[in-house]
């Protein structure tokens, strides 16, 4: 059984230190940022989005548990106050040792239930093009492509 619990301060500190580095790596891999600037830009992005850490209004950060074992996290926000019925998943991860065991699909189902309880009836998300596993999951879950950005190094 998968349970989503609001992230506590200790879990948030662990999450944010990993997330800043992970996001920087993804932005480098996608060609958006250089290695020299990536960590600073990542820190800036998280500080803007979560100025009050896990207590930031309209942001809901959850730890994902399976039988009391922390297997991942998910962060959904109502990012536009003029559209509170629209949510956006800013981050979602199942820790590497727990991947491939069906936790991601179950967690996505749970976050949809939570989102409905918040009055959200539409959820968006971003996935890096190189993350084919996540793209496959989201497509299986009924998420549709709304934008595609492409680039070529010449």
């Amino acid at each position: 059984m998968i349970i989503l619990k609001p992230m506590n301060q200790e879990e948030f500190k662990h999450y944010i230190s990993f997330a800043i580095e992970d996001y920087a790596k993804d932005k480098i891999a996608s060609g958006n940022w250089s290695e020299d600037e990536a960590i600073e830009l990542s820190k800036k992005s998280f500080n803007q989005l979560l100025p009050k850490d896990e207590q930031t209004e309209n942001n809901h950060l959850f730890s994902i548990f399976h039988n009391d074992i922390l297997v991942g996290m998910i962060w959904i926000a109502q990012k536009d106050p003029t559209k509170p019925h629209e949510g956006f998943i800013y981050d979602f991860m199942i820790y590497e040792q727990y991947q491939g065991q069906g936790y991601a699909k179950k967690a996505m189902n749970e976050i949809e239930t939570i989102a409905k309880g918040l009055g959200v009836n539409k959820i968006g998300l971003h996935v890096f093009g190189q993350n084919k596993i996540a793209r496959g999951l989201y497509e299986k879950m009924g998420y549709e492509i709304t934008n595609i950005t492409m680039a070529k190094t010449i």
Side-chain angles (χ1 to χ4, degrees), residues 19-138:
I20 288 169
E21 191 172 313
D22 191 53
Y23 187 58
K25 286 178 186 175
D26 283 338
K27 291 295 251 180
I28 292 166
S30 66
N32 298 122
W33 294 345
S34 72
E35 285 188 44
D36 295 341
E37 66 183 349
I39 291 293
E40 272 313 303
L41 290 174
S42 185
K43 285 179 185 177
K44 184 178 179 181
S45 294
F46 280 95
N47 287 336
Q48 287 175 340
L49 292 170
L50 296 170
K52 296 180 182 175
D53 298 337
E54 79 282 4
Q55 298 297 318
T56 302
E57 291 178 10
N58 299 318
N59 286 267
H60 311 277
L61 290 94
F62 297 94
S63 294
I64 303 167
F65 290 91
H66 173 72
N67 295 335
D68 295 323
I69 298 170
L70 180 63
V71 298
M73 66 73 52
I74 191 164
W75 165 19
I76 189 169
Q78 293 158 286
K79 67 179 190 173
D80 186 344
T82 65
K83 298 177 184 176
H85 62 281
E86 292 184 16
F88 191 85
I89 296 174
Y90 275 101
D91 203 358
F92 174 44
M93 71 178 82
I94 300 297
Y95 300 126
E96 192 171 344
Q97 66 267 36
Y98 302 110
Q99 292 177 6
Q101 299 177 41
Y103 300 142
K105 186 174 181 180
K106 291 174 184 172
M108 289 295 291
N109 285 328
E110 285 297 311
I111 202 66
E112 289 178 10
T113 300
I114 290 168
K116 285 178 187 175
L118 295 169
V120 170
N121 61 22
K122 181 179 181 182
I123 300 174
L125 54 82
H126 171 270
V127 61
F128 285 100
Q130 70 266 18
N131 193 341
K132 292 181 170 125
I133 292 171
R135 288 175 49 201
L137 169 70
Y138 301 141

